[in-house]
Amino acid sequence: MSPGLLHYLAVSGLIFLIGLAGVVVRRNIIVVYMCLELMLAAGVLAMVVFSRFLGQTDGQVFVFFIITVAAAEVAVGLALIVALFRARRTTRLDELNTLRF
Amino acid sequence: MPGALWWLLLLLPIGSALLITAVLRPYRVASAAVSVFSAGACFMLAVWGVASGAAAPEPVAWLRASDWVVMVAMMLDPLAEVMLLVVTGVGFVIHVFSLGYMSDDPGRSRFFGGLSLFMFSMTGIVVSGNLVMTFIFWELVGVSSYLLIGFWFERPSAAAAANKAFIVNRIGDFGFLLGILAVWGTLGDLGFGPLRAKIEAGALDTAPWLPVFLMALGLFCGAVGKSAQVPLHVWLPDAMEGPTPVSALIHAATMVAAGVYFLCRVFFLIEMSVPALDVIAWTGGATALVAALIAVRQDDIKRVLAYSTVSQLGYMVMAVGLAAPAAAMFHLCTHAFFKALLFLAAGSVIHALHHQQDIWKMGGLRTAMPVTFWTFAAGALALAGCPGLSGFFSKEAILEAAHETASPLLWLGLLTAFLTAFYMSRLAMVAFFGEGRERRAREAKESPAVMVVPLVVLAVLSVVGGGLGIYGVLRGEAAAADAEGHGWLVPALSFLVFAAGVGTGAWLYRDRERDPLRLGALRDKLYFDEVYGATVVAANGRLAQFWDWFDHFVISSLFVRGTGLVAGGVGNACRFLQGVGASGYAFLFAAGAALLLLWAAVR
Amino acid sequence: MDATFFEWVLFWTLAVGAVGFALLVVAGRSPVSSALSLACSMVFGAGLMVQLRAYFIAAVQVLVYAGAVIVLFLFIIMLMDLRAEVGRRRGALGLLAVAVVCVSMAVAGWRALAPLAGGGGPPPAAPDEVRQFGRLLFADNVLPLEVTGVLLLVVMVGVVVLCRPGGADGERGRP
């Protein structure tokens, strides 16, 4: 018996949780961003898994769009980080507290 | 005349008022012309309409609330027609007189605008066919009187007088409003015609006396305020602060007459309650006497006339209370003629003396201003009740009514008549006879024709007004026939009282430099203003202080700022929740999601 | 050595690789190593997709993520000359809290997914799956595809604007 649905989903879930933990724990804004990408990739993987196990190709089309939009998002996010870095000379999340009460 | 033309009676004055206020403000001559034209046209219209017996126009539905409709309706019975002629006629004469009197006032446009509004409101009351309309025009009269009494608003006394007139009238109008509500509550209708039909059908025959009494009293309250009855008479003498034509208008043709006219209009309602009639009669009697007493010791020519008006209004109200509304209306008409005449004559004197109003600084005007003197004399004699002049007939009609009911009010009325003759002769003696006491009085000249002609017209009306058949119209044809045969007692007493009053006045005040009578209490108007100041006004001030304190410390501090402080404190206490930074938010978000997932899993 | 055993070996290798490199992303001290770990994790994830016979998405994943996105990350890191993270780390309490949250999420997920256990591999892929995929993408979903293209264009313009020397405010933002 080959690996089942649950196995693949477990991998996806683990990656997701690791990404989540990274988002919370890390202070470097770029690393936090990478962790966000990790979570997104975990979601993509889960989507592919479901698509294949349900035998429906539509899910993969969806994933294609997700990846495209995620790439766009990365570009914009990194541009923002660059702008932020120019203005504040830092990439540490806990130093970006201008709007904090 | 087509009935629909009656609407012009209302549209002309309001159109004139709006036109003057909106467009013609800077053009003083044009404003005056428009206003006088509209007043004249109204008078012509009224004459034409009454002469041709035109029917009232079709009522127009104005407000609808389910099955209850407020109509804009006119009621044109003989009562309204007589009043209409008096209002528009006297109003027109006063308009013409104002042309001369106000010729050098910079605010003439505003004045004529106010005058037109006043005519509009008063005409509205006269022709109104239901209580809602009456109330609206009633308030409009209050507004326009406020505007005109306070015409010289830069004078603090004029502004205060305008406020006083307005506020005192509000007190009466509150009762009026309650009365209207009571009428609606008990009879379920507000039109005069339907109300009358219902009452004649016996709608109130089985009603307990107290609600009917209170209803009548509420309606009477409005008249107490407008017609300046004791104890709400205090505004009228102060209203002398307005220009003299306004005083004439208020006293003769419009505002104060509205109260008496209204009482006659709803007399069919009031007479359902005998106690209310008693209250009305005695209020009127008291007013007549009190005002006459005060008038005896006033030095301002307009104030004497003002208290005389209050006193005569007391007479009229007394007549209503004695169940003789026709006599009241008769006296109202004759009074409109001679009181307008007296005020305009006084205005002529004041104009000639450059706004000197103290009679003890006049004197000798008989020769300087002959036309003014003779017309004033005619008015004064009519007011005093000289036999043959209009005032004698109307006053006698009221006294006759008192005599018929054998009421002690007859003696009160006679005493008032004596006082009236006395103070009018005093006024004439001091102001017109003897030598001029001041340079201005010695140099006075007769007023221009535009002011003198109205005086002559009104003087003629004052002399012959008693014989015009107004009384017959008001009483109806049948009653007029037997009205001739009453006894000789009342006329004789009236004449005696008149002769005694004039004689005493002439004897006491001939060639005097100062007032021979002390009577400080009368000079101080029986302390009405002082008593009100010490009680009502002071209590109101205390109450206002308390509420100011309440507003400041309870509303503002406790509620408003307290609420703000609580919100701010809670926010301060909770702000640590918001202070964790982006990672913290992510963590809280994740924790929340985890909690939801756990809840979903274990559910 | 049958095919099933081989599949298990492959699965475990790929799974451990993907998860392990994901852990390295979080644990790595320098951003460069994090980025490289992310790329590796993505490649292993793509391997899992290959094992599921979703070849096209696997290729896209490698090209877009491991290729473009990671290169972008690396480029930015180099541009900003980022060093290893300095300053204090999270306290033990914070880490514990994060761990509690993650574990509870995992437990909840496990409880939800446990009924799906077993059942073997996915159904065999249709022989013309890529053709099907192309038809779906370029015929049935052509409008979203075009919209995505416009989105990419907008993103490109936006990024250029954001990264100008004056920032989004243009010349006025220059200090």
Side-chain angles (χ1 to χ4, degrees):
Chain A
M1 197 178 77
S2 49
L5 177 61
L6 191 58
H7 295 95
Y8 290 103
L9 285 181
V11 174
S12 162
L14 273 178
I15 296 176
F16 181 86
L17 286 180
I18 291 166
L20 179 66
V23 168
V24 177
V25 170
R26 295 299 298 253
R27 290 161 196 261
N28 189 317
I29 193 165
I30 289 190
V31 180
V32 167
Y33 211 74
M34 288 179 205
C35 293
L36 276 176
E37 289 303 316
L38 210 54
M39 290 165 75
L40 210 55
V44 164
L45 180 60
M47 203 98 184
V48 172
V49 169
F50 279 121
S51 161
R52 283 299 294 123
F53 275 84
L54 290 173
Q56 289 191 332
T57 321
D58 305 56
Q60 296 183 40
V61 175
F62 218 99
V63 167
F64 174 81
F65 284 123
I66 292 176
I67 290 178
T68 319
V69 174
E73 178 216 319
V74 168
V76 175
L78 286 175
L80 282 173
I81 289 175
V82 169
L84 197 65
F85 183 75
R86 282 226 186 88
R88 307 291 305 270
R89 289 282 137 203
T90 182
T91 56
R92 284 181 55 110
L93 209 49
D94 46 2
E95 287 172 6
L96 301 173
N97 54 4
T98 307
L99 290 180
R100 232 172 90 178
F101 175 59
Chain B
M1 188 182 86
L5 276 186
W6 282 119
W7 292 120
L8 275 182
L9 217 51
L10 293 177
L11 294 179
L12 275 173
I14 189 65
S16 150
L18 290 177
L19 188 67
I20 290 172
T21 315
V23 183
L24 295 177
R25 243 353 237 285
Y27 314 108
R28 288 190 276 161
V29 178
S31 308
V34 166
S35 180
V36 172
F37 169 77
S38 90
C42 278
F43 179 51
M44 296 299 168
L45 210 60
V47 171
W48 184 27
V50 171
S52 65
E58 282 293 303
V60 180
W62 176 43
L63 284 178
R64 284 174 198 279
S66 69
D67 57 339
W68 188 66
V69 186
V70 178
M71 308 292 280
V72 179
M74 286 195 181
M75 179 154 183
L76 291 161
D77 50 359
L79 177 69
E81 285 175 351
V82 168
M83 188 68 184
L84 195 57
L85 288 176
V86 170
V87 167
T88 53
V90 176
F92 173 56
V93 172
I94 291 170
H95 270 74
V96 173
F97 181 86
S98 305
L99 283 177
Y101 190 84
M102 300 301 286
S103 57
D104 49 359
D105 196 288
R108 201 153 54 146
S109 291
R110 188 158 54 85
F111 177 79
F112 278 105
L115 227 48
S116 280
L117 184 64
F118 214 145
M119 290 306 291
F120 166 68
S121 325
M122 192 58 207
T123 317
I125 291 185
V126 174
V127 300
S128 127
N130 57 48
L131 282 168
V132 176
M133 244 176 105
T134 302
F135 186 75
I136 292 171
F137 283 109
W138 196 265
E139 296 302 315
L140 274 174
V141 165
V143 171
S144 31
S145 71
Y146 173 82
L147 292 175
L148 286 174
I149 294 169
F151 178 71
W152 286 314
F153 55 85
E154 63 274 15
R155 288 209 312 241
S157 59
N163 280 336
K164 190 170 175 181
F166 198 70
I167 293 167
V168 172
N169 266 298
R170 287 292 74 63
I171 298 170
D173 291 350
F174 182 63
F176 186 28
L177 193 57
L178 290 183
I180 292 178
L181 290 176
V183 169
W184 189 51
T186 47
L187 293 169
D189 211 319
L190 290 176
F192 294 129
L195 281 177
R196 182 166 219 150
K198 279 191 181 180
I199 286 179
E200 277 166 3
L204 286 182
D205 289 354
T206 54
W209 73 274
L210 189 63
V212 182
F213 173 68
L214 290 177
M215 185 171 78
L217 219 54
L219 295 178
F220 177 56
C221 263
V224 168
K226 272 286 181 288
S227 285
Q229 298 297 297
V230 169
L232 296 183
H233 68 283
V234 288
W235 66 270
L236 190 57
D238 283 23
M240 293 302 108
E241 289 292 340
T244 305
V246 172
S247 309
L249 200 58
I250 291 179
H251 283 252
T254 57
M255 190 146 172
V256 296
V260 176
Y261 170 75
F262 176 71
L263 284 182
C264 297
R265 170 56 86 207
V266 294
F267 183 72
F268 63 91
L269 241 169
I270 295 172
E271 71 178 335
M272 299 311 290
S273 171
V274 176
L277 281 182
D278 284 342
V279 170
I280 293 172
W282 281 98
T283 309
T287 307
L289 185 62
V290 165
L293 279 172
I294 297 176
V296 166
R297 192 55 183 81
Q298 294 299 306
D299 292 335
D300 184 321
I301 183 168
K302 284 173 74 179
R303 276 184 186 271
V304 177
L305 295 177
Y307 277 107
S308 132
T309 304
V310 177
S311 168
Q312 298 306 307
L313 286 167
Y315 249 107
M316 301 171 207
V317 170
M318 185 173 89
V320 173
L322 291 169
M329 278 307 291
F330 184 32
H331 194 52
L332 191 151
C333 295
T334 59
H335 176 259
F337 296 142
F338 59 68
K339 190 47 67 69
L341 167 62
L342 286 171
F343 264 109
L344 294 187
S348 172
V349 169
I350 293 167
H351 192 67
L353 298 186
H354 306 286
H355 294 277
Q356 175 58 260
Q357 301 192 0
D358 190 341
I359 55 172
W360 294 102
K361 296 186 173 150
M362 299 175 182
L365 297 174
R366 176 173 44 112
T367 46
M369 308 175 70
V371 184
T372 304
F373 166 68
W374 283 111
T375 50
F376 186 90
L381 286 173
L383 170 58
C386 176
L389 300 189
S390 60
F392 177 77
F393 294 111
S394 55
K395 203 177 283 189
E396 193 255 331
I398 294 175
L399 293 176
E400 190 69 43
H403 179 58
E404 277 170 17
T405 51
S407 167
L409 285 167
L410 172 64
W411 305 107
L412 206 146
L414 284 172
L415 178 56
T416 306
F418 166 76
L419 287 170
T420 308
F422 174 71
Y423 65 67
M424 282 319 288
S425 65
R426 164 182 181 262
L427 183 56
M429 290 309 282
V430 173
F432 287 94
F433 286 85
E435 293 297 314
R437 299 181 187 82
E438 251 197 355
R439 197 168 59 85
R440 281 193 284 187
R442 284 191 291 272
E443 292 173 356
K445 288 199 177 57
E446 186 59 88
S447 297
V450 71
M451 292 167 72
V452 170
V453 170
L455 291 182
V456 175
V457 170
L458 284 171
V460 171
L461 281 173
S462 303
V463 172
V464 304
L468 288 179
I470 299 173
Y471 197 36
V473 171
L474 288 167
R475 296 189 68 168
E477 298 306 324
D482 63 35
E484 303 304 325
H486 49 64
W488 52 269
L489 175 67
V490 173
L493 280 175
S494 299
F495 175 69
L496 269 181
V497 158
F498 161 73
V502 172
T504 318
W507 168 71
L508 202 55
Y509 286 95
R510 188 171 181 81
D511 293 332
R512 294 278 185 176
E513 288 300 308
R514 269 187 287 108
D515 203 320
L517 301 177
R518 287 260 161 252
L519 300 176
L522 296 184
R523 189 190 58 214
D524 296 334
K525 309 160 211 161
L526 290 176
Y527 308 110
F528 267 102
D529 282 332
E530 284 72 14
V531 170
Y532 285 159
T535 55
V536 181
V537 178
N540 191 36
R542 285 285 160 78
L543 199 64
Q545 270 175 5
F546 168 73
W547 285 115
D548 176 59
W549 175 88
F550 185 81
D551 179 55
H552 194 260
F553 286 99
V554 178
I555 304 276
S556 180
S557 298
L558 191 64
F559 290 166
V560 178
R561 255 174 262 160
T563 316
L565 279 178
V566 167
V570 171
N572 258 333
C574 296
R575 76 180 189 184
F576 73 94
L577 282 177
Q578 296 261 327
V580 288
S583 314
Y585 306 145
F587 172 72
L588 289 175
F589 173 56
L595 276 177
L596 278 178
L597 282 175
L598 275 179
W599 177 64
V602 302
R603 192 160 53 104
Chain C
M1 250 212 220
D2 56 350
T4 310
F5 177 73
F6 178 71
E7 272 205 49
W8 275 110
V9 171
L10 189 61
F11 171 78
W12 279 113
T13 313
L14 293 172
V16 169
V19 174
F21 278 112
L23 276 173
L24 281 180
V25 172
V26 178
R29 286 204 65 102
S30 94
V32 178
S33 71
S34 288
L36 290 174
S37 306
L38 181 61
C40 294
S41 177
M42 294 287 184
V43 170
F44 279 102
L48 281 173
M49 292 178 191
V50 169
Q51 196 188 10
L52 285 167
R53 297 177 189 80
Y55 304 111
F56 182 76
I57 293 299
V60 169
Q61 166 110 332
V62 172
L63 283 177
V64 175
Y65 267 124
V69 171
I70 301 303
V71 167
L72 207 53
F73 269 111
L74 283 173
F75 172 71
I76 296 297
I77 292 165
M78 304 295 180
L79 183 77
M80 298 200 278
D81 195 19
L82 290 181
R83 310 268 173 217
E85 209 167 293
V86 289
R88 72 198 161 81
R89 314 276 301 200
R90 296 278 168 196
L93 202 63
L95 291 176
L96 185 67
V98 173
V100 166
V101 166
C102 288
V103 167
S104 57
M105 271 187 158
V107 168
W110 185 259
R111 286 206 47 168
L113 295 175
L116 302 176
D128 58 343
E129 204 195 351
V130 176
R131 184 190 301 271
Q132 254 186 38
F133 186 86
R135 195 174 299 282
L136 270 176
L137 191 59
F138 292 109
D140 298 354
N141 291 307
V142 69
L143 182 67
L145 187 77
E146 296 298 331
V147 173
T148 315
V150 174
L151 174 74
L152 287 175
L153 178 69
V154 171
V155 164
M156 203 163 73
V157 174
V159 168
V160 169
V161 170
L162 277 175
C163 290
R164 272 191 309 171
D169 288 338
E171 292 305 307
R172 282 175 296 126
R174 195 186 288 274

